[in-house]
Amino acid sequence: MSHTLETIAKLAGVSRGTVSRVVNNQPGVRSEVREKVLRIIKETGYQPHAQARSLAGGKTENIGIVVFGHNPLFLAHHLFYEVLQGVQSFLTNYSYDLLLYSNRSVTDRQYWKRIGDRRKVDGLIIMGEYIDEAYLQYYYDRNLPYVLVGKRISERIPLFCVTSDYRQGAYEATKHLLEQGRRKIVFIRGILDTYHDNERFAGYRQALAEAGMDVDEALILHGNADKTSASDAVAAFLATDTEFDAIFAGNDLMAFGAIAALQEYGLSVPQDVAVIGYDDIQAAEHFSPPLSTVRQDKLGLGVEAARLLLQLLAGETDASIAKDVIIPNQLVIRSSSVR
């Protein structure tokens, strides 16, 4: 029988990518697993194809950037292009070039797979709201190193993530509103069941708890991380006549939508209602009124993602052990939250 990576993987009870890492003497495999694979290779007499090994060990000196989402105009997003600039600024000190993959999730549902198959890059930096774990497993099995911008959790894959300290930022934003004497604070959530939305909600809850207050579910709105959705949610909330004196929105776009709904209703910001956002996009300081917000270090996210990926490529960090790099935020106070 002529053995292949696939048959060796089946005999060893591991993935094809694990066998590839052992064959090419690359990191990211536990010692006991490596010994088992090597024993099976010896017992079967498997000989890796010389050309395949050359390709597997070759370098393209390209780093890929891929953003998974439904919006084909993702580069206009207030976070992505600044993170991309951080990646680019770090890589200028090295020999790597950037290869930007277009977002084809709607028109080409298999595009994500071909990114891993074509191997035009040495590693990937992955961003976006809609990252399926199947994508990450596929790249991992093909020994394609990657770093995620934004935290993801997997029980099966050791993930390398660079993320903002969302909980700390939301805690400081809510505490600021409490210090302004606000006690009925609406929280507008973004995309539910995502790590960053859950962490922001946890920070909001923590600040309220320290002030001896419980979360009032009537004050929790859902804005889908979108200006129009948040505006509609606040307009519907205003129609209920529920008492409130502040709004903390999970991103600046939702804060803009909230302020528009408040002003349409005849309420003044911040005299009647204090408002604070999250991200500190470029439009925040030029809004009317200038928006208080939590500033993410978007350039820093890109720099650290690139740094961590190069460490993986150089074997300077253990690829079998998940790692998170947490970037702190900064509270920026403007006139939308201060009387």
Side-chain angles (χ1 to χ4, degrees), residues 85-294:
Q85 184 61 47
V87 173
Q88 187 274 335
S89 67
F90 183 81
L91 292 180
T92 55
N93 299 313
Y94 299 87
S95 60
Y96 286 95
D97 293 318
L98 279 179
L99 181 60
L100 180 64
Y101 287 98
S102 58
N103 183 355
R104 302 181 187 174
S105 59
V106 175
T107 60
D108 186 351
R109 297 186 182 277
Q110 295 299 307
Y111 186 61
W112 63 270
K113 186 176 290 187
R114 288 198 298 280
I115 293 172
D117 293 342
R118 289 173 176 170
R119 291 309 300 262
K120 294 181 178 179
V121 296
D122 296 331
L124 289 174
I125 292 175
I126 303 175
M127 297 183 280
E129 298 289 354
Y130 300 102
I131 303 173
D132 195 303
E133 187 172 354
Y135 306 170
L136 306 181
Q137 185 71 57
Y138 194 81
Y139 300 148
Y140 180 77
D141 289 345
R142 276 146 187 79
N143 196 28
L144 178 58
Y146 57 82
V147 170
L148 300 169
V149 176
K151 172 68 177 173
R152 298 296 190 280
I153 298 173
S154 173
E155 299 297 328
R156 298 182 296 171
I157 316 169
L159 297 181
F160 292 78
C161 304
V162 177
T163 185
S164 292
D165 193 341
Y166 298 109
R167 185 179 301 213
Q168 164 251 339
Y171 167 81
E172 291 186 6
T174 308
K175 185 177 179 181
H176 164 70
L177 292 172
L178 292 167
E179 290 171 348
Q180 297 299 306
R182 311 291 179 161
R183 287 297 179 268
K184 298 286 186 177
I185 303 172
V186 169
F187 179 55
I188 307 179
R189 303 192 67 166
I191 299 176
L192 300 182
D193 297 324
T194 56
Y195 172 83
H196 50 268
D197 185 76
N198 290 337
E199 284 294 288
R200 287 180 179 127
F201 185 56
Y204 166 80
R205 187 171 58 238
Q206 178 185 346
L208 292 181
E210 288 184 5
M213 301 166 61
D214 294 324
V215 173
D216 183 349
E217 292 297 331
L219 300 180
I220 307 302
L221 307 183
H222 301 287
N224 198 37
D226 175 75
K227 179 180 178 180
T228 301
S229 298
S231 181
D232 292 344
V234 172
F237 174 74
L238 287 166
T240 67
D241 290 328
T242 303
E243 182 181 354
F244 73 107
D245 55 12
I247 293 178
F248 172 33
N251 70 23
D252 291 343
L253 294 180
M254 292 194 294
F256 295 162
I259 291 174
L262 293 171
Q263 292 174 340
E264 181 71 19
Y265 196 77
L267 294 174
S268 175
V269 177
Q271 286 73 24
D272 298 318
V273 180
V275 178
I276 192 166
Y278 205 109
D279 288 335
D280 195 27
I281 63 176
Q282 291 183 357
E285 65 178 316
H286 305 294
F287 200 72
S288 181
L291 182 67
S292 293
T293 184
V294 178

Side-chain angles (χ1 to χ4, degrees), residues 6-23:
E6 287 76 12
T7 60
I8 297 297
K10 186 175 182 179
L11 289 170
V14 299
S15 71
R16 180 186 185 278
T18 297
V19 177
S20 176
R21 280 188 283 274
V22 173
V23 167

Side-chain angles (χ1 to χ4, degrees), residues 70 166 200 257 297 302 309:
H70 298 324
Y166 298 109
R200 287 180 179 127
D297 183 0
L309 182 57

